[in-house]
Amino acid sequence: MVIMPGESSYPSSLTFQPVLERIATEVAQTPGRGRPADYIPALAACDPRRFGMAVAELDGTVYGVGDWREPFSTQSITKVFTLALDLAREGDALWEHVGREPSGNPFNSLVQLEYENGIPRNPFINAGALVVTDRLQTRTGDAAGALLEFLRAESGNPDLAFDQDIAASEAANGDRNAALGHFMASYGNIDNPVPVLLEQYFLQCSIAASCADLALATGFLARHGIRADGGRLLTQSQAKQINAIMLTCGTYDAAGDFAYRVGLPGKSGVGGGIIAVVPGRCTLCVWSPGLDERGNSVAGVAALDRFTTLTGVSVF
């Protein structure tokens, strides 16, 4: 049974599968699915017609449709998890080095950094993610390894791995990220050597995971900071903070439109994936490689829009 628009009752688990199947049918009939990220050669060949979607409940039950078990390049989705891992370690001291405001500029822009003395606007633009990865590297000695270990544990999938071809492709085309790193280092906002930081960052973004993996791995944000094994990663307040930043900054400079259409905290990646959180209820991940001009999955945003419309579930 699909809950009709206008109804606000949260659906039982039995309704998730037909909701997902209905969404997949509608998405398949939608023309104009965008284009894969062509500035990363290893992603350019992805078929924009691919589509997968998964919903994970708080107890780890997962429902899916389409290519929901197909690994894809997570890219900027991983910024959520490195933020959580570093925030858990250093707390509010992190916010002295990166802001919490929407950028209003492209995710790899250099412009604002000079005006703001090397302090990135938020953790989800590339400059901000580099700062967070740098700080996690200082605290762990292996930021990408700590991230991979965390994702394996939360998803229950020990086979998650770096995609070395993707990492190499990004490194070969990473001049803008290198410029961001060196620029922030000139302001004293980077601790580690920039080449070390870039290696960690490109590995982080290269992790391949499926919709099922990522929906499960995001569950700690729906459980107010509690990990899959029952241990606490974040305080309830910190989980709220990350969800809030996802809502306002998680889809590049289209965050306002995403909040308007979907009404959930979300984080996209140029691999075509988007994760979303319904605090206290469930988490979602959708994947389709075709992107709009702002770097968000065309079919992914449409699918999440339909999900919140059909179920009546949102944070508003």
Side-chain angles (χ1 to χ4, degrees):
M1 179 183 69
V2 173
I3 291 183
M4 299 303 294
E7 296 183 38
S8 59
S9 299
Y10 179 65
S12 70
S13 60
L14 295 177
T15 69
F16 277 134
Q17 195 61 41
V19 168
L20 295 178
E21 290 170 1
R22 176 170 171 176
I23 291 169
T25 299
E26 293 179 1
V27 166
Q29 297 169 351
T30 303
R33 298 280 286 274
R35 298 189 307 170
D38 55 9
Y39 65 92
I40 301 175
L43 297 180
C46 293
D47 180 359
R49 304 293 301 179
R50 300 290 295 273
F51 175 81
M53 188 172 185
V55 179
E57 296 186 306
L58 301 188
D59 65 358
T61 303
V62 189
Y63 304 86
V65 68
D67 300 312
W68 66 298
R69 293 196 179 278
E70 179 72 19
F72 63 89
S73 186
T74 53
Q75 295 296 312
S76 288
I77 290 174
T78 59
K79 295 173 182 177
V80 171
F81 304 105
T82 52
L83 173 60
L85 290 173
D86 188 72
L87 188 60
R89 285 166 169 80
E90 67 168 319
D92 286 347
L94 170 63
W95 304 123
E96 298 173 12
H97 301 270
V98 62
R100 302 186 293 270
E101 296 292 337
S103 69
N105 283 312
F107 58 84
N108 59 356
S109 173
L110 281 154
V111 174
Q112 285 178 326
L113 280 176
E114 186 166 11
Y115 288 114
E116 297 175 354
N117 299 315
I119 305 296
R121 274 290 180 98
N122 67 69
F124 295 151
I125 57 175
N126 285 17
L130 285 166
V131 168
V132 175
T133 298
D134 176 67
R135 300 188 70 74
L136 187 62
Q137 175 70 12
T138 297
R139 282 152 185 77
T140 65
D142 183 7
L147 169 64
L148 182 60
E149 180 182 358
F150 177 79
L151 291 175
R152 285 172 171 172
E154 297 306 293
S155 68
N157 183 358
D159 296 326
L160 294 185
F162 303 117
D163 185 324
Q164 297 292 345
D165 290 339
I166 294 287
S169 182
E170 294 204 56
N173 296 273
D175 291 340
R176 179 64 68 91
N177 285 316
L180 292 168
H182 284 293
F183 192 83
M184 291 186 294
S186 75
Y187 280 94
N189 201 23
I190 295 294
D191 294 334
N192 295 278
V194 172
V196 172
L197 169 58
L198 292 174
E199 179 183 19
Q200 291 289 315
Y201 182 70
F202 294 142
L203 279 173
Q204 164 190 320
C205 292
S206 79
I207 293 173
S210 70
C211 291
D213 294 326
L214 290 170
L216 286 167
T218 310
F220 71 98
L221 290 174
R223 293 188 293 268
H224 308 296
I226 301 297
R227 296 186 59 167
D229 64 3
R232 180 170 287 281
L233 174 68
L234 302 171
T235 67
Q236 186 166 340
S237 179
Q238 288 172 330
K240 177 193 72 175
Q241 291 166 2
I242 292 178
N243 281 327
I245 298 170
M246 288 173 67
L247 182 67
T248 58
C249 308
T251 45
Y252 309 123
D253 54 339
D257 186 63
F258 185 83
Y260 176 83
R261 292 182 60 185
V262 176
L264 294 175
K267 181 71 194 84
S268 61
V270 296
I274 307 174
I275 57 173
V277 180
V278 187
R281 293 180 170 180
C282 65
T283 49
L284 303 96
C285 181
V286 61
W287 171 62
S288 187
L291 309 180
D292 62 22
E293 66 278 4
R294 292 174 172 174
N296 298 308
S297 171
V298 173
V301 174
L304 291 169
D305 183 0
R306 290 299 291 152
F307 179 86
T308 54
T309 298
L310 290 171
T311 63
V313 172
S314 81
V315 297
F316 301 108

